[in-house]
Amino acid sequence: MSQQQIAENLERAFAQKGFAEPSVSELKALSGVSMRTLYKYFPSKESMVVGALNHRHQRYIALLEQCAQQSG
């Protein structure tokens, strides 16, 4: 699984559980990868939050660009 797919799954997990509640073990289960793979891309819970937020930001920018192209 790619870093982007894991970030997408983390974004979904944080949306469901919030940022403070889920443990790293729970995030691992919700992201669908092993602990080793999760830590390979996101070595701390803080980096998991940042990765999820970056993924969300990239989705919003892509949506805005798509809307701008359609309107003008």
Side-chain angles (χ1 to χ4, degrees):
M1 187 175 293
S2 72
Q3 183 175 2
Q4 183 175 348
Q5 290 170 313
I6 296 169
E8 180 179 347
N9 291 342
L10 288 170
E11 178 191 0
R12 206 172 300 122
F14 286 124
Q16 292 172 2
K17 302 282 187 174
F19 292 109
E21 182 182 331
S23 66
V24 172
S25 293
E26 192 172 6
L27 292 170
K28 174 197 77 76
L30 292 169
S31 65
V33 295
S34 69
M35 192 67 79
R36 181 178 178 172
T37 300
L38 182 60
Y39 276 123
K40 174 183 174 184
Y41 295 114
F42 303 102
S44 67
K45 185 174 179 183
E46 180 181 334
S47 69
M48 294 173 202
V49 171
V50 170
L53 291 174
N54 282 337
H55 182 267
R56 184 178 69 179
H57 177 73
Q58 290 171 2
R59 284 190 314 108
Y60 287 150
I61 294 296
L63 178 64
L64 291 173
E65 288 173 348
Q66 181 183 7
C67 289
Q69 287 175 358
Q70 289 175 355
S71 66

